[in-house]
């Protein structure tokens, strides 16, 4: 310690009129973080290798294969391979750069540098946005560089003309995927207690996006590039939801106060049981006092009170289901012209109700448009799809549940539009094959979907005072309640109708 | 003038109450030491004072700003030395200080000037080209202190400033704190080192399970817990009959072959009288010294009493 | 502190005849680790989900697709899809369980619990094996459970007969892949300074194995299942090398002494330069005193002394190259019968040397068996393949470099065997088309490959006293030396011969 | 009898020499404190003694076993309390001790018996059903000490046993160490807390940059560095002419209005003579006390001298 006296420059107090939000602080934070990341060889080397060498390696491997196949038809392979290569080249550096985003908060917390940051005048939103942008820029840059290198090498070396629209799509997709992955990772980072936990949870970000990339590749190979823009749009919507959820649930209190958490399975199990038994409006109260004896479950109350109330509370989920049903049907209808399908692929004019009835009575090869004529099989199949949707909803913020509802509606829409385009009576078809059981089945599936969506969506927007975990447990409890007391009975009825009534309606209407 | 003021400060995390109805003030230019066992709520209190946490109930005001109403202003006025230095290991000192200066809204020139002055003052200027990750523990702690000072805060909150330092490093940091105090900084010091608290603090605040269990100057607390000072007389000769002579002046607490102990609130009068008696009986005195009254005894006594 | 006096059970000293290796210690360690992992919900939940739900999800997705495609030909899809599904289902839980292996040493070091373990009587080998087994068992178990669930669901639900041989192959492959990933991860964990670094390096384990899984899938779709056993064998050999390297390079000194390392790029660059300039036998000395001025590089010395010495030092690499050349040729020869290729796919009896000469003079469409007749193109192509091989060698412990050497030899072997089987003069063919430039090109390529292999192999077995990083830098410096002063000049000559001499030899011999 | 013996112990890491030619012995039942700044080589020395690191040169013998020849035996005889407790947070106390007992080759029954006895002795028995991750800092440190004792080691190496503990926790651990010493354990203690070293250690060893710079008992080192004791006389009356009278007996070091200081090696004779003189001149004495000679002064003096 020098003996010099402290003669320091005076610093003015902060103005009481200081703006509530200050971009300068955000950028200060971003600059520091990026500079720090660029100095960390454990980040720079792997990302650098992936960014710079992966395109080269990809190209090199293609070289080896192409050289061998050159005599056949390399251009088709090129047309299919290049957009896929671009997607992969953009995705890989991004997914590995996730480590930056995953560490953004929890890493600083583990290294004890977070508190000093929280002690600066920066507010919660500034901190969150700063971390988010800092985590985003480097991965995004890495992706762009990878795409650029690959594009140049493809265009220059292979002299293959990359359509600008494909390039724009790949860049848009990569950007949207990157936004979703990074915002989700920063969200995870601000809600976990250790880097280890954050890294493990990363699988739940990378795996769905990797699946999405594969689906996108399929779409490219299939030649339906326009559909990619819908994926971009969907990703952007999800991203806005994630950023909003991040800002909403971030607070410096929780992040400092959180201690190493043993997963309290028992607590969650008890909480589930209490939520399940209590009426919906008492959830907030139950959350705080779940220690006591659970409230009693009265069957009468469930039907008179709980289910109506749950429906009212989950009107957004029901609206999303309804929109999906209508939208799915309309998209299916439109597919006929989009995909240039011959309209008479389904010819009901030659449909012979007597042969249909005979086939049914033989119980052998069932008519193609209806599955095996066994109501248990139908029931199990429907239930499994619904349960699968609910489960995957948890890992996709609800999206998969909606997609699984949209798919059959699209098929029905496609069938109907085909009949209409070939001047057949599509209303008769719907009335005969779909309506009899559909009048029960469709609302049931929509009901299940509405509550399945909530399981995933609630993570982005937990009820006031609920932790994410508690919110999911509540949504699960509500889902199980709806499932047991409404969906399963209705599904059974619908399956019985489908097997014992629908065929008769078909024969009657088509005779 | 109270620069820092906590009024019935209470902070709960879920079902746990970390701080419970704590009220105190830190006056301009004063060093207040906050003592207490791990988990007593010291760090939570400091975080509330620094507007990092919001109180569940009660108020905190720093230089008149309420932390709930104007947290930015409070954080601007406060310098916080956290329990662990937690530096960014890849940055160099000037970069590091520049970053925190910018986060506090200082302009570039002020940041540079203050950073340089502080690094020189704390003897870190020679290491300005090294990365913080290569600093020794003592240098890191001093660097964290410099960080807490970069924006010329009116108030300093120091959480365990010398923990984990070697004796030399701890000595240097203690000297630095004494310097800052001399320059008129208002300081709140959390520490487990009672010798340090005794040396540096004007007043002490002892908290236990989120409540204040004792407060006052070191002397007041010693007086309060241990009673008036005890003096010990060591004799070169056997005690024998001399005690009776001494008893005319004071009543010894206890005695042995070497000497005796007594308690007095007026040593200026009593001690010469005792010595005079002893001299009169011809007993030779080697020393007459006040018994050391360690703050540790006060602390352990208080902790034993409340738990 | 209780005032009780210490009356403890007496414990005997360890016997001076204590065995040098004690399995009991290994198992104690393994039991503790596994119990600990099973208590960590951040491990159990993601792995449990992947293990239990991934097969279900995979099956469920197949359901949705199959239902739609049922009218077409589901059995073929099943036959192709199920082995691939098994591979994926085994691979996923394994790759995510890697986190256990990656943390094995460096995680304990970060949590400060390693020193207490090192203070127990257990020796280095016991600690290493204990950690290795503990890291291996859980991932392997997860994989087996995943495979079992998927198998049961496929066999039971889809009533598809899974051939026992396919099942055995998948289990063997999964086990071998798991062994390689886990041993590599434990190796990484014992040589990194932070969990973060270990996690980043994990990409270099998972990505190659994921590629391998894709290659395996291709092999399955291609119907060449027998080739999978060679992959199993190769993986097991690699695994033995990894375990050996792990035990050899593990020591408790290094693991405690290591501090947070800034990647000293400058140091490695200087080291490279010094290695490059110094004669090979001075490498160990250079490593210690690289601070001074580099030794001078004398061109004469390089050819008289350095290159011969490097060849002698790298005789194992040269032997591997030779073995690969011979093996590749023989495998190629054998492929004809294995793959039941019609032997006269190449008919040289109708070869017209005059037409060939004319084609050459037109410089248009080149003869298929030789690439574009431009010596620069040939040179660049060869150089790029060699450099690519050297680069990928670094990430595959040398394997890729050898594969790239084996591939053309297999093609030559296949061509030769075809000629031989259809009673044509295959020796004449080789003498005309391959020998003229091959007599230069083949040794050159073998030389490059030998040193490229060393870049990867040296990581498993660094020279005495060298760190892994230093060993790689040395191998790189040697590679560059060989490349600049031998491979590039020889490749140029070979390319010139191929363009200007080989065609004439062809015309002369076939006329 | 020397239970631990280091002979010209040297340890290099790459180009860095952490410990350089250090020789010392720790005798049966003795507490030796190892002091020195961060990075002086204390932890490396302890790791060499515990057969975790192998010396680059020189020898280490524990109970006659050379760490190079019989590292297993040495590790079996040594209990090591590492600088950070580093427990396995998901285990319960008995499981944890059982694991380390098994790693040391104890049979199941012995493990259980010793674990229970040690947990009871260290006041952790009540927490036997909690996970170690939920322990407080003090409990963790005690748990780490119990771990180091599970295999009844003859020698204990304690690296910063009370760092980061609150005053009460530190007091308890210090009591525990004192107990262990009373039971005849041989202990090597690394600490930054000089008061602790002074209280607990029989002998001190101060190292700096890998070399021993001082060794001896606390009193020897104080004598050596600070010279003979200094006494201070505080007077109730003004000093005025009395100094001349005192000068007949001793030569004061310095004086002020309140009194004076002098140095003597024979307080038993000198002090009564001084008091007699003062009495004769009619000056009233409030106290005559030896000046506190803190180990910190000794340490800082030594560090200043070598660096």
């Amino acid at each position: 310690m020098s003996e010099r006296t402290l003669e320091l420059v005076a610093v003015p107090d902060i103005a009481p009129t200081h703006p509530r939000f200050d971009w300068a602080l955000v950028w200060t934070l971003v600059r520091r973080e990026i500079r720090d990341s660029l100095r960390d060889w454990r980040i720079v080397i792997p990302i650098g290798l992936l960014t710079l060498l992966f395109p080269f390696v990809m190209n090199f491997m293609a070289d080896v294969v192409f050289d061998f196949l050159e005599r056949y038809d390399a251009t088709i392979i090129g047309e299919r391979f290049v957009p896929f290569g671009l997607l992969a080249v953009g995705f890989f550096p991004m997914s590995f750069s996730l480590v930056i985003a995953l560490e953004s908060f929890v890493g600083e917390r583990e290294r004890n540098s977070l508190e000093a940051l929280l002690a600066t005048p920066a507010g919660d939103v500034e901190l969150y946005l700063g971390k988010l942008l800092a985590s985003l820029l480097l991965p995004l840059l890495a992706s762009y560089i990878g795409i650029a290198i690959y594009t140049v090498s493809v265009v220059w070396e292979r002299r293959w003309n990359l359509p600008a629209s494909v390039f724009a799509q790949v860049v848009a997709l990569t950007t949207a995927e990157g936004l979703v992955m990074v915002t989700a990772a920063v969200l995870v980072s601000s809600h976990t207690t250790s880097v280890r936990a954050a890294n493990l949870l990363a699988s739940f970000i990378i795996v769905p996006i990797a699946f999405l990339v594969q689906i996108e590749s399929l779409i490219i190979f299939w030649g339906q590039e326009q559909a990619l823009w819908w994926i971009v749009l969907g990703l952007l919507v999800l991203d806005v939801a994630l950023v909003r959820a991040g800002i909403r649930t971030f607070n410096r209190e929780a992040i400092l106060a959180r201690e190493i958490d043993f997963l309290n399975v028992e607590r969650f199990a008890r909480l589930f049981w209490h939520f399940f038994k209590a009426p919906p409006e008492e959830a907030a109260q139950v959350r705080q006092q779940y220690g006591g004896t659970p409230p009693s479950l009265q069957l009468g109350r469930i039907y008179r009170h709980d289910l109506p109330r749950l429906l009212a509370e989950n009107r957004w989920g029901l609206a999303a289901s309804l929109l999906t049903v209508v939208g799915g049907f309309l998209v299916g209808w439109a597919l006929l012209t989009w995909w240039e399908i011959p309209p008479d692929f389904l010819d009901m004019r030659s449909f012979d109700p007597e042969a249909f009835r005979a086939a049914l009575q033989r119980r052998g090869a069932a008519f193609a448009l209806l599955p095996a004529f066994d109501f248990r099989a139908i029931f199990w199949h429907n239930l499994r799809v619904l349960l699968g949707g609910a489960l995957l909803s948890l890992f996709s913020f609800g999206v998969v549940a909606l997609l699984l509802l949209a798919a059959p509606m699209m098929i029905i829409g496609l069938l109907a539009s085909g009949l209409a385009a070939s001047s057949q009576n599509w209303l008769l078809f719907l009335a005969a094959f779909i309506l009899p059981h559909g009048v029960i089945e469709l609302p049931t599936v929509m009901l299940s979907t509405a509550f399945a969506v909530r399981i995933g969506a609630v993570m982005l927007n937990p009820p006031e005072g609920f932790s994410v975990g508690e919110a999911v447990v509540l949504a699960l409890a509500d889902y199980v309640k709806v499932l047991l007391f409404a969906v399963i009975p209705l599904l059974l009825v619908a399956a019985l109708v489908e097997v014992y009534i629908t065929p008769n309606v078909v024969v009657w209407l088509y005779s | 003038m109270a620069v820092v003021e906590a009024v019935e400060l209470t902070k709960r995390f879920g079902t746990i109450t970390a701080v419970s109805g704590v009220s105190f003030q830190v006056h301009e230019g004063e060093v207040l030491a906050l003592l207490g066992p791990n988990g007593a709520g010291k760090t939570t209190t400091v975080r509330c004072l620094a507007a990092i946490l919001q109180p569940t109930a009660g108020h905190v005001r720093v230089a008149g700003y309420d932390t709930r109403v104007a947290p930015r202003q409070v954080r601007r006025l406060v310098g916080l030395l956290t329990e662990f230095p937690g530096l960014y290991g890849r940055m160099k000192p000037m970069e590091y200080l520049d970053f925190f200066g910018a986060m506090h809204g200082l302009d570039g020139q002020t940041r540079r000037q203050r950073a340089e002055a502080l690094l020189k003052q704390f003897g870190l200027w020679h290491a300005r080209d090294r990365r913080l990750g290569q600093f020794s523990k003592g240098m890191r702690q001093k660097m964290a202190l410099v960080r807490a000072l970069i924006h010329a805060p009116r108030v300093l909150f120091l959480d365990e400033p010398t923990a984990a330092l070697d004796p030399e490093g701890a000595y240097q940091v203690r000297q630095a704190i004494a310097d800052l105090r001399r320059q008129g900084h208002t300081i709140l010091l959390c520490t487990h080192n009672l010798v340090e608290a005794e040396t540096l603090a004007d007043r002490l605040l002892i908290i236990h399970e989120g409540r204040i269990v004792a407060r006052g100057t070191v002397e007041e607390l010693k007086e309060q817990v241990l009673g008036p000072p005890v003096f010990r007389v060591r004799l070169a000769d056997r005690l024998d009959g001399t005690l009776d002579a001494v008893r005319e002046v004071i009543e010894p607490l206890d005695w042995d072959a070497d000497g005796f102990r007594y308690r007095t609130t007026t040593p200026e009068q009593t001690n010469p009288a005792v010595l005079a008696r002893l001299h009169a009986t011809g007993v030779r005195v080697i020393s007459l010294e006040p018994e050391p009254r360690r703050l540790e005894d006060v602390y352990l006594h208080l902790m034993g009493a409340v738990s």
Side-chain angles (χ1 to χ4, degrees), chain A, chain B:
Chain A
M1 172 71 53
S2 88
E3 291 302 312
R4 220 170 310 211
T5 48
L6 194 68
E7 272 182 60
L8 295 174
V9 187
V11 168
D13 276 6
I14 203 168
T17 57
H18 189 84
R20 289 187 62 85
F21 181 83
D22 188 352
W23 273 108
L25 293 183
V26 176
W27 287 120
T28 303
L29 203 58
V30 169
R31 270 201 311 275
R32 193 206 77 74
E33 297 264 335
I34 290 187
R35 201 184 295 157
D36 220 33
S37 295
L38 288 177
R39 277 189 189 141
D40 188 350
W41 69 268
R42 293 165 302 174
I43 290 180
V44 169
I45 291 194
I47 293 178
L49 281 177
L50 281 167
T51 306
L52 302 176
L53 295 184
F54 190 65
F56 168 78
V57 169
M58 198 116 185
N59 207 8
F60 165 76
M61 289 190 341
D63 254 28
V64 173
V65 178
F66 283 15
D67 274 9
F68 197 67
L69 298 177
E70 212 152 40
R71 273 147 283 167
Y72 305 108
D73 195 348
T75 48
I76 286 177
I77 293 170
E79 266 167 24
R80 287 176 180 179
F81 190 80
V82 169
F84 167 74
L86 280 172
L87 275 180
V89 158
F91 174 71
F92 268 89
M94 182 87 78
S95 67
F96 288 107
S97 324
L98 261 196
V99 77
I100 299 172
L102 283 167
E103 292 212 342
S104 54
F105 285 107
V106 75
E108 282 221 37
R109 186 176 178 270
E110 275 196 358
R111 290 189 289 278
N112 296 313
S113 57
L114 187 63
E115 196 176 353
L117 203 57
L118 296 182
T120 64
D124 285 356
V125 177
E126 284 147 351
L127 285 179
Y128 191 81
L129 282 184
K131 285 283 187 185
L132 182 62
L133 288 174
S135 308
L136 186 64
L137 292 183
L138 213 59
L140 215 51
L141 188 71
S143 277
Y144 290 163
I145 293 177
I147 290 176
I149 293 177
Y150 190 65
T151 306
V152 166
S153 74
V154 160
V155 169
W156 178 70
E157 229 177 75
R158 221 165 284 299
R159 286 179 187 74
W160 188 76
N161 271 327
L162 184 68
S165 67
V166 172
F167 184 76
Q169 266 187 334
V170 167
V171 171
L173 271 175
T174 303
T175 309
E177 282 159 8
L179 276 164
V180 167
M181 285 201 288
V182 169
T183 45
V186 172
L187 194 63
V188 163
S189 188
S190 68
H191 284 84
T192 42
T193 54
S194 69
V195 171
R196 186 185 205 187
N199 276 325
L200 280 163
L201 290 174
S203 342
F204 295 99
I205 301 169
I206 292 179
V207 171
I209 297 282
F211 266 111
L212 187 67
V213 170
Q214 300 207 354
I215 290 169
E216 290 161 11
S217 318
L218 280 178
I219 291 174
I220 289 173
F221 278 85
W222 203 14
Q224 296 298 324
E225 283 87 358
Q226 292 316 304
L228 294 180
W229 290 116
W230 290 101
I231 294 180
V232 171
L233 184 71
L235 286 170
L236 289 179
V237 169
L238 181 57
D239 193 53
V240 170
L242 283 169
V243 172
R244 211 183 134 267
I247 291 176
R248 199 172 159 283
T249 60
F250 175 79
N251 83 60
R252 59 184 80 206
E253 301 243 338
I255 214 167
L256 275 180
R258 210 172 291 122
E259 288 305 318
I260 291 172
D261 46 358
F262 299 86
L263 178 70
N264 204 331
V265 177
E266 197 209 358
R267 171 163 183 259
F268 276 127
R270 278 238 295 281
L271 205 53
F272 179 89
W273 189 228
H274 284 231
F275 280 146
F276 181 73
K277 295 187 88 173
E281 70 275 16
E282 287 177 17
Q285 207 179 322
V286 163
R287 190 187 71 85
Q288 291 184 318
Q289 309 162 346
Y290 72 97
T293 44
S296 65
L297 185 81
Q298 297 142 325
L299 208 61
R301 193 202 71 209
I302 297 262
Y303 285 106
R304 273 196 318 275
H305 173 84
D306 286 18
L307 290 181
R309 171 131 198 145
L310 280 176
L311 289 180
E313 276 184 4
N314 194 21
R315 53 193 175 278
W316 285 108
L318 290 166
S321 291
L322 185 63
L323 211 72
T324 305
V325 165
V326 174
F329 184 86
L330 292 179
V331 169
W333 188 284
L335 281 181
L336 191 79
T337 41
W338 289 351
W339 289 356
E340 296 167 11
I341 298 171
D344 51 357
F345 67 99
L346 180 66
D347 191 353
M348 293 306 290
R349 280 166 298 206
S350 60
F351 179 71
D352 177 0
E354 287 311 314
F356 177 68
R357 188 200 299 271
L360 281 183
Q361 278 161 355
R362 279 202 310 278
R363 295 186 156 272
F367 180 61
L369 282 174
L370 292 171
F373 267 62
D374 173 347
F375 86 89
R376 274 164 310 191
I378 293 175
F379 170 75
W380 277 122
H381 174 262
N382 288 342
L383 185 62
R384 259 175 49 199
V385 172
L386 290 183
L387 286 178
L391 179 72
L392 292 179
S393 170
L394 185 59
F395 302 112
S396 64
F397 307 107
V399 171
V400 170
L402 292 177
L403 287 179
L404 285 174
L405 177 59
M409 291 315 296
M410 282 168 65
I411 295 173
I412 293 172
L414 179 63
L415 294 175
S417 69
L419 292 171
S422 56
S423 311
Q424 304 180 55
N425 188 346
W426 62 275
L427 285 170
L428 175 70
F429 173 81
L430 291 187
F433 283 89
I434 309 292
L435 200 65
H437 60 278
V439 84
I440 301 164
E441 194 179 295
L442 192 61
T444 308
V445 170
M446 281 168 65
L447 183 69
S448 173
T449 303
F451 283 86
V453 166
R454 189 156 158 255
I455 296 171
V458 86
M459 287 199 278
L460 297 180
N461 197 8
E464 193 64 37
F466 279 60
S467 79
V468 171
E470 289 166 347
V472 169
V473 170
L474 175 61
L476 277 172
D478 288 343
Y479 179 75
V480 171
K481 206 185 265 181
V482 170
L483 186 77
L484 287 182
F485 297 109
V487 172
I488 288 183
L490 287 170
L491 273 188
L492 266 174
V493 174
L496 286 168
V497 169
E498 186 164 357
V499 171
Y500 296 110
I501 298 179
T502 304
N504 295 318
V505 175
V506 168
V507 172
W508 174 63
L509 282 177
Y510 272 90
S511 300
Chain B
M1 199 196 100
V3 179
V4 178
E5 194 180 7
V7 184
E8 288 293 320
L9 170 65
T10 298
K11 180 69 192 174
R12 282 189 209 96
F13 298 106
T15 54
I16 298 155
T17 304
V19 178
S20 175
V22 163
S23 300
F24 63 91
Q25 301 187 330
V26 193
H27 302 288
E28 180 99 55
E30 181 188 42
V31 177
L32 178 73
L34 200 56
L35 308 179
N38 288 323
K42 298 191 301 298
T43 299
T44 303
T45 304
V46 169
R47 285 176 177 172
C48 287
L49 297 182
I52 292 178
L53 300 179
Q54 291 298 339
T56 313
H59 290 277
V60 172
R61 274 188 286 272
V62 176
Y65 290 112
D66 189 305
T67 56
R68 228 189 299 252
V69 179
R72 275 171 196 274
Q73 277 79 358
V74 170
R75 290 201 287 264
R76 180 64 193 71
L77 290 167
V78 163
L80 175 65
L81 177 69
T82 51
E83 190 176 349
F84 304 97
L87 309 178
Y88 297 120
R90 274 176 217 94
M91 297 180 103
K92 291 180 179 173
M94 288 296 280
E95 286 178 318
Y96 185 71
L97 295 175
D98 190 74
F99 169 66
F100 277 96
M103 289 302 284
H104 279 97
L106 307 193
D107 65 79
Q109 203 200 345
T110 312
R111 298 202 295 262
R112 270 191 306 281
Q113 285 176 1
R114 279 195 63 84
E116 185 176 335
L118 283 165
L119 289 177
K120 281 178 176 159
Q121 194 205 352
F122 282 84
L124 294 168
W125 185 243
H126 69 280
R128 65 187 174 282
D129 286 328
R130 282 161 66 189
R131 302 217 181 274
L132 298 175
Q134 297 165 320
F135 275 27
S136 72
K137 267 188 190 172
M139 290 164 81
R140 278 177 211 209
Q141 195 69 18
K142 280 196 272 177
M143 193 65 211
L145 192 54
V146 168
R147 171 191 71 208
L149 290 167
I150 185 68
H151 55 294
R154 286 182 61 188
V155 192
L156 268 174
F157 296 147
L158 309 177
D159 202 348
E160 297 289 341
T162 61
L165 293 187
D166 58 22
E168 227 176 343
Y171 175 78
Q172 290 178 355
V173 169
R174 257 174 239 138
Q175 291 297 101
I177 295 170
D179 283 358
L180 290 167
R181 191 205 156 183
R182 230 170 287 131
Q183 291 151 22
H185 279 83
T186 305
I187 297 173
L188 183 82
L189 173 72
C190 293
T191 184
H192 283 331
N193 189 323
L194 299 174
V195 177
E196 181 174 296
E198 196 163 352
T199 319
L200 293 174
D202 297 305
R203 282 194 303 135
L204 306 175
L205 208 60
I206 303 185
I207 67 172
H208 180 75
E209 293 181 353
R211 291 168 194 284
I212 296 177
V213 294
R215 62 169 98 207
T217 64
V218 174
E219 282 313 313
E220 282 168 10
L221 286 175
K222 283 184 179 172
E223 188 81 25
Q224 186 185 321
V225 171
L226 304 176
V230 171
F231 286 83
R232 171 164 184 83
V233 177
R234 223 152 57 88
L235 302 175
D237 307 301
R238 304 283 300 173
L239 195 61
D240 294 335
T242 51
L243 262 186
D244 294 333
V246 171
R247 283 217 168 91
E248 291 170 23
V249 188
I250 46 95
E251 184 52 40
L253 291 172
D254 50 20
W255 53 89
D256 55 23
D258 283 347
F260 57 92
R261 303 191 315 144
Y262 61 92
R263 201 186 278 281
T264 176
T265 48
T266 54
E268 286 81 5
Q269 285 81 49
T270 312
N271 293 7
V274 170
L275 284 175
R277 286 284 148 166
L278 290 169
H279 193 77
T281 54
V283 174
R284 288 176 303 149
V285 172
I286 299 174
S287 64
L288 188 172
E289 49 183 310
E291 287 227 314
R293 292 143 69 81
R294 296 176 310 155
L295 185 54
E296 188 179 11
D297 298 326
V298 174
Y299 179 90
L300 291 175
H301 179 90
L302 282 170
M303 285 302 125
V306 292
S307 61

